[in-house]
Amino acid sequence: MSSMPKAYLTRRIQLSACHRLHSTSLTVEENARVYGKCNNINGHGHNYIVEVTLFGEVDQRTGMVMNLTDLKAEMETAIMDVADHKNLDKDVAYFKDVPSTTENVAIFFWCNLKQTMKKPSLLYEIKIHETENNIVIYRGD
Ligand SMILES: Nc1nc2c(c(=O)[nH]1)N=C([C@H](O)[C@H](O)COP(=O)(O)OP(=O)(O)OP(=O)(O)O)CN2
Ligand SMILES: [Zn+2]
């Protein structure tokens, strides 16, 4: 018997947050050199666009990999509730000693989704547009 067709399903959300690039593993001078203007002590903000992609079988009866309404709710819990309108470094415990680069933000959202999704095995990719030009993709590796 042939297997069910599979598809990629993506939902995009936007969130606003501020942060400062700073590493507790670097000296003050190293932080200033590595992160430049992004090490500004009072931080700066972004309107992050976050795209979560699932990959899985298209259920024959429903025609869906997952109901997008359910994916929306799962992204609210794992991403929006914890990061929207927050200071990432001060309001989110994960970033206390982890630099809030977009790479690490993507890893953080990935871990949150894996912990809270009903079917975490469907999670395929998180893509974050930090700015129009700066984009990170994380696939759990
Ligand atoms: N590898 C990474 N490098 C940098 C990150 C990051 O998350 N990962 N983040 C920053 C800063 O936080 C900041 O977002 C960069 O802003 P900026 O340089 O202003 O962004 P743009 O490139 O879009 O702006 P330009 O107009 O093109 O200068 C820095 N590095
Ligand atoms: Zn930034």
Side-chain angles (χ1 to χ4, degrees):
M1 193 176 76
S2 63
S3 61
M4 302 288 291
K6 291 185 170 182
Y8 297 85
L9 179 73
T10 300
R11 178 169 170 82
R12 170 192 283 234
I13 53 175
Q14 183 172 316
L15 68 92
S16 302
C18 67
H19 75 145
R20 174 196 187 206
L21 289 187
H22 180 85
S23 170
T24 52
S25 306
L26 301 175
T27 65
V28 170
E29 293 75 21
E30 287 170 331
N31 269 292
R33 183 166 44 77
V34 170
Y35 297 125
K37 65 180 180 180
C38 301
N39 185 237
N40 170 45
I41 196 146
N42 290 320
H44 61 274
H46 296 289
N47 292 318
Y48 294 93
I49 293 170
V50 182
E51 296 174 4
V52 172
T53 299
L54 310 184
F55 178 61
E57 290 182 351
V58 180
D59 186 290
Q60 216 171 15
R61 296 157 303 158
T62 64
M64 297 187 285
V65 174
M66 182 195 282
N67 190 321
L68 280 162
T69 307
D70 296 335
L71 178 56
K72 177 182 174 181
E74 294 193 326
M75 289 170 69
E76 285 287 329
T77 302
I79 297 173
M80 296 301 274
D81 289 354
V82 293
D84 189 33
H85 283 73
K86 297 283 166 61
N87 179 319
L88 297 178
D89 309 316
K90 295 183 179 176
D91 296 327
V92 184
Y94 181 88
F95 293 110
K96 188 174 175 292
D97 291 313
V98 173
S100 53
T101 60
T102 307
E103 292 93 323
N104 283 335
V105 173
I107 292 165
F108 173 62
F109 290 162
W110 177 279
C111 294
N112 276 1
L113 279 164
K114 279 285 188 188
Q115 281 172 15
T116 56
M117 283 177 72
K118 278 195 206 116
K119 291 185 181 171
S121 61
L122 291 179
L123 187 57
Y124 173 75
E125 176 182 287
I126 293 185
K127 180 188 280 189
I128 302 183
H129 304 248
E130 183 197 52
T131 68
E132 210 171 299
N133 304 315
N134 300 342
I135 299 160
V136 166
I137 292 173
Y138 184 63
R139 292 183 180 156
D141 299 324

